Amino acid sequence: MAGYKVEICGVNTAKLPLLSNDEKEELFRRILDGDMEAREQYIKGNLRLVLSVIQRFSGSNENLDDLFQIGCVGLIKAIDNFDITQNVKFSTYAVPMILGEVRRYLRDNNSIRVSRSLRDTAYKAIYAREGLTRRNAREPSLMEIANEIGVSKEEVTCALDAIQSPVSLYEPIYTDGGDPLYVMDQISDKKHLEENWVEDISLREAMDRLPNRERHIIDMRFFEGKTQTEVAEEIHISQAQVSRLEKSALKSMKHYLS
């Protein structure tokens, strides 16, 4: 992927602008007023998000120039649909939109044949999920998606599974310059909460030594089975921050127990 960081689709990525938070806020205010020049600046200032997403596909046979263009479509959709009144960072909202656009492109070009009815159900579920996410500012449950499109939860699961490609739990999803977020960071385990190792008494003692926020994060992640996205929304920080605090807390606990 290193070569593509220099030139993708005619874009010299080494010269992409880095926008400060104040610049982003000012540009978005101008975008809402219909300023197309501000919109163009905002797109260019967030192209690194697209690059960070398509890096995960660098080992595939897909043309990265094509994926970059598709990712830019997702970025533009994110800009057009982003609600600044919600307490969510733009990158937190945009990355799933970009990833979803790329995955949709890959599904449409998948050589594996899936029945039309199953594919239609899957696409309806995907669009419903995106719509519910925008309206509620959170990831909807499977049941909410099923109710939205008028089918059973089992049909939604079957349809989505049919068009998905296998993904490693350790595959990186996004990085903001610090520790990357992996697929496994997005997964909660509500089935085996009682068996989780965090409930061990000695680990509880280690948890008691953590600062309040880190202890709260560990509680929500391993006792309540919440994803990092859900934790981030509840305590009003970014998902990347949750990931770093979680890793730091677990490292401290491990050091205490060793």
Side-chain angles (χ1 to χ4, degrees):
M1 187 66 187
Y4 286 88
K5 287 187 177 181
V6 175
E7 193 78 20
I8 295 183
C9 301
V11 177
N12 186 343
T13 60
K15 295 183 178 180
L16 289 176
L18 286 173
L19 301 175
S20 67
N21 289 332
D22 290 341
E23 288 174 325
K24 290 178 181 178
E25 290 178 5
E26 174 60 25
L27 284 174
F28 222 101
R29 281 194 290 269
R30 290 167 54 191
I31 291 172
L32 294 177
D33 290 334
D35 189 331
M36 298 305 293
E37 182 182 348
R39 186 171 182 268
E40 186 69 20
Q41 290 180 41
Y42 201 85
I43 291 171
K44 290 181 179 179
N46 284 279
L47 287 179
R48 293 174 188 273
L49 282 180
V50 179
L51 291 175
S52 70
V53 170
I54 67 171
Q55 278 181 351
R56 61 172 297 179
F57 302 100
S58 60
S60 70
N61 294 323
E62 299 296 332
N63 184 297
L64 291 183
D65 280 356
D66 291 343
L67 296 186
F68 181 76
Q69 293 183 65
I70 299 300
C72 287
V73 172
L75 172 63
I76 292 170
K77 286 184 177 181
I79 292 173
D80 290 343
N81 291 282
F82 185 58
D83 185 354
I84 62 173
T85 64
Q86 301 294 328
N87 189 25
V88 178
K89 286 179 62 177
F90 176 74
S91 59
T92 303
Y93 176 78
V95 168
M97 292 281 284
I98 297 168
L99 187 57
E101 201 67 30
V102 173
R103 282 177 170 168
R104 185 155 44 246
Y105 167 80
L106 295 176
R107 283 194 296 267
D108 288 340
N109 291 275
N110 196 337
S111 59
I112 299 175
R113 304 300 297 176
V114 178
S115 72
R116 171 59 67 88
S117 61
L118 203 59
R119 186 181 291 273
D120 286 347
T121 299
Y123 288 163
K124 287 178 182 177
I126 291 167
Y127 290 132
R129 179 172 59 194
E130 292 178 355
L132 289 167
T133 299
R134 286 195 298 270
R135 291 205 303 268
N136 303 325
R138 63 173 176 80
E139 185 77 13
S141 68
L142 200 59
M143 183 58 73
E144 288 174 323
I145 295 172
N147 290 337
E148 182 77 4
I149 63 176
V151 301
S152 69
K153 182 173 67 174
E154 290 72 23
E155 287 179 272
V156 173
T157 302
C158 182
L160 292 176
D161 284 347
I163 62 172
Q164 286 287 357
S165 299
V167 177
S168 168
L169 288 175
Y170 295 95
E171 190 165 4
I173 295 176
Y174 170 63
T175 178
D176 65 350
D179 294 333
L181 299 178
Y182 297 96
V183 172
M184 67 181 300
D185 293 330
Q186 302 288 78
I187 299 173
S188 61
D189 181 8
K190 293 181 171 65
K191 183 177 179 182
H192 300 292
L193 292 179
E194 294 80 6
E195 302 169 15
N196 202 288
W197 57 270
V198 179
E199 292 189 335
D200 184 86
I201 294 176
S202 60
L203 291 173
R204 262 301 181 186
E205 293 177 352
M207 285 182 62
D208 288 340
R209 293 174 173 265
L210 297 173
N212 289 336
R213 184 164 65 168
E214 282 86 339
R215 185 167 63 251
H216 188 36
I217 289 173
I218 296 298
D219 267 327
M220 287 188 288
R221 284 283 287 144
F222 296 99
F223 275 89
E224 300 174 23
K226 293 183 177 180
T227 65
Q228 288 189 346
T229 299
E230 292 169 331
V231 174
E233 290 175 353
E234 183 164 328
I235 63 178
H236 309 300
I237 62 175
S238 71
Q239 188 177 27
Q241 286 177 293
V242 171
S243 178
R244 286 194 288 269
L245 288 170
E246 179 184 317
K247 288 180 174 65
S248 175
L250 292 175
K251 183 178 180 181
S252 297
M253 293 167 64
K254 182 178 178 181
H255 178 75
Y256 170 74
L257 293 168
S258 62

